[in-house]
Amino acid sequence: MAHVSAAERRPQLIKAAIDLMAREGVAAGSTRAIAAELGVAQATVHYTFGTKEDLYRAVIQHLTQEMENQVRQAAPDGAGFEETVGVLASALWRTVRNQPKSYQLLTELTMFALRSPHLREALETHNLGVLSVTSELVTDAADRAGQQLAQPARTIARFFLAGFDGLVLQHLTHPDDEAELSCLQALISSTLALAGGRMEMVAVPRDLVEGDLSSG
């Protein structure tokens, strides 16, 4: 059998891991099972990635990069700020509709990473990366349209992502096309209102937000 370098084997193993875990869940993603999915020795996985956590980290990065690329490609040329944000948000939602297993896998990996000290850093890097890309897209859209943002791009991005993540979870657990479209439109509208300074911000006492609710 011809020798395959680690650089060539890496994307093959990532795809095998994604195919296996999207089909059977993260719990099934042992290095032995992933190796069997590709038809290679288990030692090949460890030689290429080191540990299972390192492979999982690569899977998270790969899935995120794929989605980011699809959204970036959808950015319209010469459009206004509101149209651009609407198109980008719709394109991102289209990836949810077209690739639900990828989002389910990312959700499962997120929960797994929260319990794994070796993956917590990868999860933080993933979340910061998504936030950074979203902030960049908001900034670019505003700059092209000459739109002055009423809130920092990072705040607008966090607001949008918080709502979007909730929509994704609802879609995965209880899909409803009509309700999801209405909620997506509401999320886009409220994001634009926040960006344009048209959203009235309600004061929330810090002690209610930061207090210890367990003492009640």
Side-chain angles (χ1 to χ4, degrees), residues 67-90:
M67 294 165 190
E68 287 177 6
N69 291 341
Q70 292 177 53
V71 173
R72 286 182 183 277
Q73 290 170 8
D77 294 326
F81 178 72
E82 294 195 359
E83 180 184 352
T84 299
V85 171
V87 169
L88 291 175
S90 299

Side-chain angles (χ1 to χ4, degrees), residues 127-197:
N127 288 332
L128 289 175
V130 171
L131 177 59
S132 177
V133 169
T134 307
S135 301
E136 179 187 334
L137 290 171
V138 169
T139 300
D140 289 348
D143 288 346
R144 285 198 303 269
Q147 169 83 28
Q148 184 173 357
L149 298 176
Q151 296 286 339
R154 199 172 184 86
T155 299
I156 297 168
R158 287 182 70 96
F159 175 80
F160 172 78
L161 290 171
F164 190 84
D165 287 346
L167 283 178
V168 170
L169 190 57
Q170 289 181 3
H171 177 73
L172 294 176
T173 56
H174 185 64
D176 182 330
D177 290 347
E178 186 175 346
E180 288 165 5
L181 178 58
S182 296
C183 289
L184 179 64
Q185 291 172 329
L187 176 59
I188 294 171
S189 298
S190 55
T191 300
L192 290 171
L194 179 65

Side-chain angles (χ1 to χ4, degrees), residues 1-212:
M1 182 179 296
H3 172 71
V4 178
S5 68
E8 295 175 281
R9 189 65 79 191
R10 183 179 176 86
Q12 296 174 354
L13 284 169
I14 291 173
K15 182 180 184 305
I18 290 173
D19 290 345
L20 173 68
M21 292 192 290
R23 188 176 67 245
E24 301 183 23
V26 172
S30 65
T31 55
R32 183 184 299 278
I34 293 169
E37 180 82 7
L38 186 59
V40 298
Q42 184 179 9
T44 301
V45 180
H46 293 289
Y47 173 76
T48 306
F49 286 98
T51 66
K52 180 177 71 174
E53 285 76 14
D54 290 331
L55 174 56
Y56 282 12
R57 184 180 295 108
V59 166
I60 292 172
Q61 293 170 346
H62 178 83
L63 290 172
T64 304
Q65 189 63 56
E66 271 195 339
M67 294 165 190
E68 287 177 6
N69 291 341
Q70 292 177 53
V71 173
R72 286 182 183 277
Q73 290 170 8
D77 294 326
F81 178 72
E82 294 195 359
E83 180 184 352
T84 299
V85 171
V87 169
L88 291 175
S90 299
L92 184 58
W93 185 249
R94 191 161 57 247
T95 68
V96 178
R97 297 292 304 274
N98 293 342
Q99 304 164 49
K101 289 187 179 297
S102 294
Y103 278 90
Q104 182 174 344
L105 178 53
L106 265 177
T107 301
E108 290 181 33
L109 284 169
T110 296
M111 296 300 103
F112 180 82
L114 287 173
R115 294 284 189 178
S116 173
H118 297 293
L119 277 175
R120 284 297 295 266
E121 182 181 349
L123 179 60
E124 182 177 353
T125 300
H126 158 73
N127 288 332
L128 289 175
V130 171
L131 177 59
S132 177
V133 169
T134 307
S135 301
E136 179 187 334
L137 290 171
V138 169
T139 300
D140 289 348
D143 288 346
R144 285 198 303 269
Q147 169 83 28
Q148 184 173 357
L149 298 176
Q151 296 286 339
R154 199 172 184 86
T155 299
I156 297 168
R158 287 182 70 96
F159 175 80
F160 172 78
L161 290 171
F164 190 84
D165 287 346
L167 283 178
V168 170
L169 190 57
Q170 289 181 3
H171 177 73
L172 294 176
T173 56
H174 185 64
D176 182 330
D177 290 347
E178 186 175 346
E180 288 165 5
L181 178 58
S182 296
C183 289
L184 179 64
Q185 291 172 329
L187 176 59
I188 294 171
S189 298
S190 55
T191 300
L192 290 171
L194 179 65
R198 300 189 302 275
M199 180 181 289
E200 183 177 350
M201 306 295 278
V202 178
V204 179
R206 293 185 67 91
D207 59 331
L208 293 182
V209 176
E210 301 173 354
D212 183 4

